[in-house]
Every structure is written in C-alpha cells, then in structure tokens.
Amino acid sequence: MNSFGKVVLVGAPSSGKSTLFNRLTSSREAITSKTRGVTRDRKYGFVSWLNKTFTLIDTGGVTGENLPFQKEVQDQVEIALNEADVIVFVVDGRVGITKDDFNISRRLFKIKKPVILAVNKIDDTSLYSLISDFYSLGFSDVFPISSEHGLGLGDFLDRVNALLPDEEIKTPEGVLTLSLIGRPNVGKSSLANKIIGYDRVIVSSQAGTTRDSVDIFFQRDDKKYVLIDTAGVKRPGKVLEDLDKYSVIRTEDACYRSDIILLLIDASEGIVSQDIHVSSYAVDNNKPVIIVVNKWDLHSHNQDDQINFSKLIKAEFKFLSYAPIVYLSAKTGSNINSLFKEIDLLNETLNKKVPSSMLNSMILKAQMDNEAPDFNGGRLKISYCTQIEGKVPTFILFVNNPNYFHFSYRRYLENSIRETFGFENCPIKLIVRSKRNDLSEIVK
C-alpha cells in the first residue's frame, strides 16, 4: 500500500495509544487491555484520510517505573521516532499531566519533528476544561479526542494530514508474506531480528516476550518480503489470561495472511507435543510450511544427527510430509541463506501452472493404473481436471458423483500430481465437483 509518510503514537502506559491505533486503522491489530504496558513491540497499520494514506505506528508505553522490558520498549520507541514524519503524543486527559508525560515531552522537544499532543479520553464537551493544563507541556498543536468513541478525530486528522509530506511514497509490489510461528521461546524474535539485521522486535530469554504479532517489511537480494513475528502459542491448558487468548488469535490471523509459514522447533529441547499443536494453525489454513529447526548450534553434531532428526520430524508431523526442513541458528545466523533458498524454491512451486492437457493426460493414466474403489454405491469416474487460481496449487476434478470419492483415492491423486509436476514441497488442494457444474460458477 502506498503511503505519504509515517505517524508514530507515543505516550505513557494506558494513555490509550492502542485504542487510538485500532480506531484509526479500523482494526483490532493492537491488543488493548486494562493491564498497563501491554504493547511492547511496534505495530504498523494504514490510515486513509481525505487525499492521503499514511502508515500509523503504535509503540509501547514509556514510563520511568521499573516495569519488565521497559528498556527494550524504550529502544523500540526510539527506533519508531527515527522513522516518524509526524509524532502524536497521547496523554490521558482524565488523569492530568503525569511525571511520565513530562519526561516524554522533554525527550520529544529534542527531536526536530512536528509533534501533535492528543489529549485522550475527553468523552464529552463537559471535560474540555481539563485540556488547558496540557498547554503547559509546551506544544502548540493540542487536540481533545476520545479514541474509544471517535470524538474529535476529524480536526485531529486534518492537522496530521497537513503535517505529512506532500509526495507519496510508493510501496513495492510483489511482496511475499512470511510468518514465524512456534511455542514460546523457540527463537522466533531472534530469527526475525537476524533476518532483517537489527533489533526490530524485543528478544528475551523469558518465554512469552512477544504478545502481539509484528509485521516487518524488508528486502533481501532485491526481493521483497513481509515477515510476521507472532507470539508463542502456549498449550491449550495454559492459555489462561486474556492476553494469551489474544496471542492465539493473532497467530491464527498471521497464518491466514501468510504466503509461507516458518514453523520453528527448538533443537536443544527436541520435538514436544506443543510443536505439533502449533503446526495445526498452518495445516488448518492449508498453508505451505517450512520446518525450521532452530538452535542447532546447541545440539550435538554427531554423524547422521540431521538425518535422524529429520526422520523424527517426518514421523511426528505426518500431515506435513511435504514440508522442507532447514537447520539453523538464529543466534549466530548460520544457515539463514539456506532458509531463503527454500523460501524461493517454495514460492516458485506455489506459482507453477500446469497446462490442462498435461494434467488430464496424467489423471487418465492414474485412473488406468489404479481404478477408484467402489464407495457409497458407485465407482468414481473423472471426466476433466483443470488448475485454477489459489494461494496453494488448486485443482478442480469434474466427476460423475462426488460422493463416490474415497479419501484414500484422493490421497493417491494428490501424490500423483505432486510427483508428476513437482509439487513435493507444498500442499495442494483438490476440489471435487459434479461434471454437470459449470466451470465459470466454480471459479467464482
């Protein structure tokens, strides 16, 4: 999406930044909660107002209190401020000026960028008297708003638009979306940072550091990617807090939006049941997967270790038998080039098109070599097959009666298509329709 610049939201915890972010982006991208300090990493979204679209960045709450990850949060805020064209300083109008607000304002005065002071939680006109005190912070652009109810946002956005650059920044096309999924503390954020070359997301040895999913745009070897770093998914019995439930939703959403999913496994701990549970988010969305065995530097390096570990993966992840396996270390960066070779190969496969003539010749031969079994009172006959557009290679089979299609024969045809046309490293999708159906209706 094209943009006229970047607008960064900064402020103390619980000032309402994430609620404002959600309101302006018309989404639930950022987690909102009554718990202080929920947002830790930077969140990106798009806002369109009048003749301009801009990138909106939500940041973690900045405070002088000794809260967990506060140093890392402040580092993230500093990176966001460096990216910003316009800074929106969000304060809680009901609470009044706090020590955190004062300290943040001093920091913002050192940055030679336009600042808008958004006095939030002004939910009706009777609260306007609270605004006057905030002029003492020294900012000329002061706007009373209610991010929860949407009040005052028109005038506020008019001012944002006026301060943005006049020239539109073009977002490149042909971007491949990758997501990192896995249980907590398998190294997703470390791998994200190593891939993009700097600390874009918070890394900690404490499990569950990342709570939101984080979208990161980057380029590598003239190719364009969006990398989604997700929160670690806990075992179902451990998902107790609302924030953990939000993290599961974010992982599901990331899998839905992804072109390719990178499933991380901790080599130092081996395969556990939770790894298999996390992989179900990819399988349920029928998305291509690369299994990334991280922390291989901590594993023993005896002869045939990788061969034996791969056999174990194939045995445990039977439903991901097609998935390539890459061994690497996010900490040292070893073998990341091999990961991107597999990503490129997989992307080529996903975009492969098979001519209908070749496809139907293969289907005819498959039926002659192995006739479909009697099932539900009849025997399946395939009259025509063609490939249609889809996130994964998708094929429609026109048959005499879809009810005759036994699951074992489906698996046989899937394997035949994979082996014949080189779809071994990705899932494929078979759609079965009666030959009486019109193809144009199916495509719709």
Side-chain angles (χ1 to χ4, degrees):
M1 184 178 292
N2 298 331
S3 172
F4 280 85
K6 295 180 180 179
V7 177
V8 173
L9 303 177
V10 297
S14 299
S15 58
K17 298 183 305 301
S18 293
T19 304
L20 179 59
F21 178 91
N22 290 339
R23 168 70 64 173
L24 296 179
T25 58
S26 300
S27 72
R28 290 294 181 267
E29 276 286 310
I31 296 175
T32 57
S33 171
K34 293 179 181 179
T35 305
R36 283 169 59 85
V38 171
T39 301
R40 293 170 178 172
D41 295 319
R42 308 193 301 287
K43 295 290 301 174
Y44 287 64
F46 290 96
V47 180
S48 294
W49 185 253
L50 299 178
N51 61 333
K52 291 182 180 180
T53 296
F54 59 87
T55 303
L56 186 66
I57 306 174
D58 185 24
T59 63
V62 178
T63 177
E65 297 180 34
N66 187 24
L67 296 179
F69 307 110
Q70 186 52 216
K71 179 183 181 302
E72 291 87 347
V73 168
Q74 293 194 31
D75 290 342
Q76 293 293 315
V77 172
E78 289 298 321
I79 294 172
L81 292 176
N82 289 331
E83 296 182 52
D85 295 291
V86 177
I87 299 167
V88 175
F89 178 19
V90 184
V91 295
D92 188 333
R94 290 177 177 266
V95 171
I97 299 174
T98 66
K99 183 178 180 180
D100 287 334
D101 294 334
F102 179 73
N103 290 334
I104 293 170
S105 67
R106 291 178 62 187
R107 173 70 186 95
L108 294 181
F109 276 122
K110 298 178 181 178
I111 301 174
K112 303 303 181 183
K113 294 183 179 181
V115 177
I116 297 174
L117 181 62
V119 184
N120 195 22
K121 305 184 183 180
I122 306 298
D123 299 329
D124 58 66
T125 55
S126 65
L127 300 174
Y128 276 18
S129 59
L130 301 175
I131 301 169
S132 58
D133 289 345
F134 287 94
Y135 281 94
S136 64
L137 291 175
F139 300 102
S140 57
D141 287 321
V142 180
F143 289 86
I145 65 167
S146 170
S147 56
E148 183 173 356
H149 301 290
L151 301 177
L153 295 182
D155 290 341
F156 163 74
L157 287 171
D158 284 345
R159 184 56 180 158
V160 171
N161 256 23
L163 293 172
L164 285 169
D166 293 326
E167 185 174 346
E168 188 176 19
I169 302 167
K170 299 291 184 180
T171 301
E173 298 179 355
V175 177
L176 188 68
T177 301
L178 315 170
S179 66
L180 293 166
I181 68 171
R183 57 189 172 88
N185 212 32
V186 293
K188 297 183 298 298
S189 294
S190 295
L191 181 57
N193 288 337
K194 185 62 68 172
I195 286 172
I196 62 174
Y198 65 97
D199 291 341
R200 171 61 175 75
V201 290
I202 293 172
V203 177
S204 170
S205 59
Q206 179 177 334
T209 303
T210 301
R211 284 174 170 172
D212 281 345
S213 59
V214 180
D215 290 25
I216 310 163
F217 174 81
F218 69 100
Q219 290 186 238
R220 182 185 175 94
D221 297 331
D222 297 325
K223 296 177 182 177
K224 302 147 192 172
Y225 304 90
V226 168
L227 183 65
I228 308 174
D229 180 28
T230 65
V233 178
K234 297 181 179 179
R235 295 196 306 273
K238 295 289 187 180
V239 181
L240 302 176
E241 299 181 19
D242 286 342
L243 298 180
D244 292 329
K245 294 176 183 177
Y246 280 126
S247 297
V248 170
I249 293 170
R250 294 294 180 263
T251 299
E252 291 176 334
D253 179 67
C255 289
Y256 176 78
R257 293 191 289 125
S258 297
D259 297 309
I260 296 173
I261 292 172
L262 309 180
L263 171 64
L264 265 68
I265 296 172
D266 187 336
S268 65
E269 297 182 10
I271 301 170
V272 300
S273 60
Q274 181 59 4
D275 294 323
I276 299 170
H277 170 69
V278 172
S279 70
S280 67
Y281 294 105
V283 175
D284 291 346
N285 283 280
N286 199 34
K287 292 300 176 74
V289 175
I290 297 175
I291 298 175
V292 180
V293 183
N294 189 27
K295 306 183 185 180
W296 191 246
D297 55 315
L298 302 180
H299 193 278
S300 63
H301 289 77
N302 298 321
Q303 187 176 7
D304 296 335
D305 272 1
Q306 283 195 14
I307 294 173
N308 293 330
F309 205 98
S310 294
K311 288 180 179 178
L312 181 61
I313 289 173
K314 294 295 184 183
E316 295 291 339
F317 296 91
K318 292 184 175 66
F319 40 85
L320 289 175
S321 58
Y322 63 83
I325 303 171
V326 176
Y327 294 83
L328 55 74
S329 168
K331 182 177 181 180
T332 66
S334 66
N335 223 30
I336 287 182
N337 287 337
S338 295
L339 172 61
F340 276 88
K341 286 180 182 178
E342 291 294 346
I343 290 171
D344 291 342
L345 287 172
L346 183 50
N347 190 39
E348 288 178 12
T349 305
L350 294 174
N351 290 286
K352 184 183 295 185
K353 303 301 178 187
V354 180
S356 294
S357 59
M358 295 177 62
L359 190 58
N360 281 280
S361 295
M362 186 236 93
I363 292 294
L364 178 61
K365 184 177 185 303
Q367 291 183 97
M368 293 175 65
D369 291 345
N370 184 11
E371 190 177 30
D374 283 329
F375 183 64
N376 283 339
R379 191 183 300 276
L380 184 79
K381 298 294 182 183
I382 304 169
S383 58
Y384 185 72
C385 179
T386 189
Q387 184 178 2
I388 63 171
E389 292 295 323
K391 287 289 187 180
V392 298
T394 303
F395 305 90
I396 290 186
L397 302 173
F398 292 93
V399 303
N400 55 340
N401 188 333
N403 293 326
Y404 298 160
F405 202 3
H406 192 271
F407 72 90
S408 63
Y409 203 69
R410 175 187 289 271
R411 192 183 312 121
Y412 163 68
L413 290 177
E414 286 179 351
N415 290 336
S416 297
I417 292 173
R418 285 181 193 281
E419 294 170 6
T420 303
F421 301 111
F423 291 106
E424 291 97 338
N425 60 348
C426 73
I428 65 173
K429 183 177 181 181
L430 297 186
I431 300 173
V432 183
R433 292 290 184 268
S434 170
K435 63 183 179 181
R436 292 186 295 272
N437 284 111
D438 182 71
L439 178 59
S440 63
E441 294 181 359
I442 301 296
V443 174
K444 290 180 181 178

